[in-house]
Amino acid sequence: MVTFSVQASPSDAASWCDLARRAEAAGYDALLVGDHPGVRAAPFVALAAAASVTSTLGLGSYVTNAGVREPALVATDVATLDLLSGGRARLGLGAGHTPVEWRAVGRERPDVAGRVRRCIAVAEAVQALLAGEEVTVDTADLAVRGARLDRPRPVQPRIPLTVGTANTDLLRWAGAHADVVGLTGFGRTLADGHDHDVRWRAAEIERQLAAVAAGAAGRDTPPALEALVQTVAVGDDAAAAAAQTAEETGLTVDELLASPFVLIGTADEIVATVAAHRRRWGVTRYVVRADALDPLAPLLPRLAAIT
């Protein structure tokens, strides 16, 4: 089954609760909130508000910045959300790429290898805490001493873990340990500290999927593959709608339209594209931005039926 989730952030209480209700009514799988301290709402606070006005919608961070968050606090947040939502919490983790967010908590952003090591250490510590274990870690990347999560305990036996990345080492770890691998296709962080080069060409995607597969070797059930969609445009002229994004990313229009990181075209073309991505890449989950909620909603029954 192909599922779609919505990533958004609140600007006020009324519109946020309305968005959560509309996402649930339309058949979206989950409502997800990013983690950018200082410029976005706190994800778990926002998700707890959404939990109060929904009953079936999944609720998760996408993704919590492991570079600036401590495992005991993350585990407490996600367990509290799971309790308040009746077992609907999800946890997304990423390595963190924005230098200003590290400096805001008194740290300098490490190199890529350091960020990956910390992300893995945080993921392992959070999972152990959620499982009821006592956690002690003492490394250059993470220090945790005798941490426990006695209360609140999560409702779910296991909080689903999504790891969002395009880094080879983190993709391999996610292949071995995550429930969902969130494919971002992001490459090098650009000078503004926010934007990225992209790795959206077919050969680049195949290299990312090969890393996931290598990590998943030996697992009875490999992780689901999920694409973070940057652009959704439902209309009659796919080439015209894709032209600006193609120019910004340095891809040809054909390369862009063949990637799972945009969904552009008529309703029939988008359904066919999602079916093709499932066959070729194994992608069965998508995350779209809030502005795609209404345009995609009429297509969700057809997309969910793709096998």
Side-chain angles (χ1 to χ4, degrees), residues 126-141:
V126 171
Q127 286 185 303
L129 290 165
L130 291 171
E133 301 171 17
E134 182 175 301
V135 175
T136 294
V137 181
D138 191 3
T139 69
D141 304 301

Side-chain angles (χ1 to χ4, degrees), residues 62-261:
Y62 202 88
V63 290
T64 296
N65 183 345
V68 302
R69 303 295 189 188
E70 296 302 323
L73 302 180
V74 174
T76 301
D77 280 345
V78 71
T80 303
L81 176 62
D82 204 49
L83 177 72
L84 296 178
S85 66
R88 292 184 281 140
R90 303 180 186 182
L91 173 62
L93 283 173
H97 60 82
T98 306
V100 68
E101 294 172 2
W102 292 75
R103 289 195 288 271
V105 297
R107 303 172 185 160
E108 285 300 316
R109 187 186 71 166
D111 61 11
V112 172
R115 298 200 300 276
V116 168
R117 287 194 306 270
R118 180 177 170 90
C119 184
I120 291 171
V122 169
E124 291 175 341
V126 171
Q127 286 185 303
L129 290 165
L130 291 171
E133 301 171 17
E134 182 175 301
V135 175
T136 294
V137 181
D138 191 3
T139 69
D141 304 301
L142 181 67
V144 179
R145 299 181 179 90
R148 292 191 61 87
L149 180 63
D150 293 324
R151 289 182 301 274
R153 296 299 306 152
V155 174
Q156 298 175 86
R158 175 183 168 92
I159 303 289
L161 172 65
T162 297
V163 174
T165 188
N167 174 271
T168 299
D169 291 338
L170 195 49
L171 286 167
R172 191 177 295 112
W173 185 90
H177 300 282
D179 300 283
V180 179
V181 177
L183 302 169
T184 65
F186 291 158
R188 179 178 58 90
T189 304
L190 301 181
D192 66 1
H194 298 278
D195 293 327
H196 304 265
D197 289 333
V198 298
R199 299 172 181 169
W200 290 1
R201 292 180 173 87
E204 294 168 324
I205 295 169
E206 288 168 0
R207 283 195 291 271
Q208 293 167 58
L209 296 180
V212 176
R219 284 185 65 171
D220 292 336
T221 303
L225 300 177
E226 183 171 74
L228 177 59
V229 179
Q230 300 296 325
T231 302
V232 174
V234 183
D236 294 332
D237 192 343
Q244 181 176 345
T245 303
E247 182 177 354
E248 291 170 351
T249 57
L251 276 66
T252 68
V253 167
D254 287 345
E255 288 173 331
L256 182 71
L257 294 175
S259 85
F261 304 110

